[in-house]
Amino acid sequence: MAIQIFQVDAFTDTAFQGNPAAVCVLPAQRDDAWMRSVAQEMNLSETAFIVPQADGFSLRWFTPLTEVDLCGHATLASAHVLWESGVLKAGTAARFWTRSGLLTAVQTEDGIQLTFPVIEQTPADAPPGLLDALGTQAIYVGRAGNMYLLHLADESAVRQLTPDFPALRLLSLRGVMVTAAADPASPHDFVSRYFAPWVGIDEDPVTGSAHCCLGPYWSKVVGKNELTAYQASGRGGRLRLHIADDHVELIGRAVTVLTGKLLC
């Protein structure tokens, strides 16, 4: 049976910007090997698989190499597809059951609002070789599990990074967030980039899950709970953030750029 598949640009209101994700709405669960094969075929940073269930939807995310525990842009894309395709009525909240627990999405005037868990980071030393592979210096290093947050001197330091990806792959990490305060003339509070060659993504265009760590970090730095963020990849993407004690609200828009059918 043919399965409809969508490609959606997330955290943008303009096609061919933001972060592309593939979304499959399945009538029933498929095996892991099939989902990995579809993700490899799509060759995007994430492919999302949605299965209806009594209290919402099962949602899983795969990179071309592996399944991941949390993905913001593919969740945003999934909610967008459910409303746009009519699977969910407009105004109905989307409830996703995931490896990170229950995630919700609602429609607002400003876009789609995701409620995600806070990812805490603590001060740490940079792993040997990390700063050299990135070609930079950090004024602060934080660690969240097997991911690192690097606070750089300014926005230009973030934008001008040219990582040595073969050198990065020699390290045993999961992801690296580099960030800095936005330039004074910018409408944003901070900028960032995200590198994850260890899961098949040299640079992710816009990383919602990273902002579950970046948002709380910058909330403490600047002393406010409402933030605007720009991920300064080649495609670029914008997010609005609300930081609470135990969750982060990520707000962004999405655009469908392709629909098709899987025949296998």
Side-chain angles (χ1 to χ4, degrees):
M1 181 178 65
I3 296 170
Q4 195 164 19
I5 189 165
F6 304 80
Q7 185 166 319
V8 176
D9 290 341
F11 292 117
T12 182
D13 56 8
T14 304
F16 313 124
Q17 296 183 20
N19 201 351
V23 180
C24 291
V25 183
L26 303 174
Q29 290 286 358
R30 297 290 297 264
D31 63 80
D32 290 9
W34 180 86
M35 288 188 282
R36 282 194 295 268
S37 294
V38 172
Q40 290 167 2
E41 187 77 9
M42 297 307 297
N43 198 33
L44 300 172
S45 58
E46 309 286 346
T47 298
F49 298 91
I50 310 172
V51 181
Q53 58 185 56
D55 51 355
F57 299 87
S58 165
L59 174 60
R60 297 174 70 181
W61 313 278
F62 286 78
T63 77
L65 291 183
T66 189
E67 185 172 8
V68 298
D69 292 334
L70 186 65
C71 179
H73 84 279
T75 305
L76 187 86
S78 296
H80 169 80
V81 163
L82 291 176
W83 288 313
E84 188 175 69
S85 65
V87 174
L88 276 181
K89 293 182 180 180
T92 302
R95 292 166 53 85
F96 297 114
W97 295 94
T98 77
R99 287 171 63 160
S100 293
L102 175 63
L103 307 177
T104 60
V106 296
Q107 293 169 302
T108 73
E109 292 183 356
D110 297 319
I112 296 170
Q113 177 180 297
L114 308 176
T115 300
F116 270 36
V118 166
I119 297 177
E120 299 286 357
Q121 58 80 35
T122 55
D125 294 327
L130 177 58
L131 294 175
D132 287 342
L134 291 170
T136 192
Q137 295 296 317
I139 60 177
Y140 172 83
V141 179
R143 181 175 181 176
N146 208 20
M147 298 191 302
Y148 282 83
L149 182 156
L150 306 181
H151 184 164
L152 306 190
D154 53 34
E155 180 172 333
S156 64
V158 172
R159 289 182 177 272
Q160 292 171 11
L161 281 182
T162 55
D164 181 343
F165 290 108
L168 282 177
R169 291 187 187 95
L170 297 176
L171 307 177
S172 298
L173 304 179
R174 184 76 175 183
V176 175
M177 301 163 268
V178 294
T179 187
D183 289 342
S186 170
H188 308 108
D189 293 298
F190 67 91
V191 299
S192 68
R193 292 170 69 186
Y194 184 80
F195 306 110
W198 309 276
V199 296
I201 308 165
D202 279 356
E203 179 168 5
D204 196 34
V206 192
T207 315
S209 58
H211 286 80
C212 296
C213 184
L214 291 165
Y217 172 76
W218 280 106
S219 177
K220 293 175 182 177
V221 171
V222 301
K224 61 182 185 179
N225 293 331
E226 301 284 343
L227 300 165
T228 59
Y230 183 74
Q231 192 154 330
S233 65
R235 293 173 64 101
R238 294 173 173 81
L239 307 87
R240 291 185 56 196
L241 310 173
H242 173 75
I243 314 303
D245 289 339
D246 61 350
H247 68 272
V248 178
E249 293 171 0
L250 311 172
I251 303 172
R253 298 188 182 276
V255 180
T256 301
V257 296
L258 182 152
T259 63
K261 293 182 178 179
L262 285 171
L263 304 178
C264 300

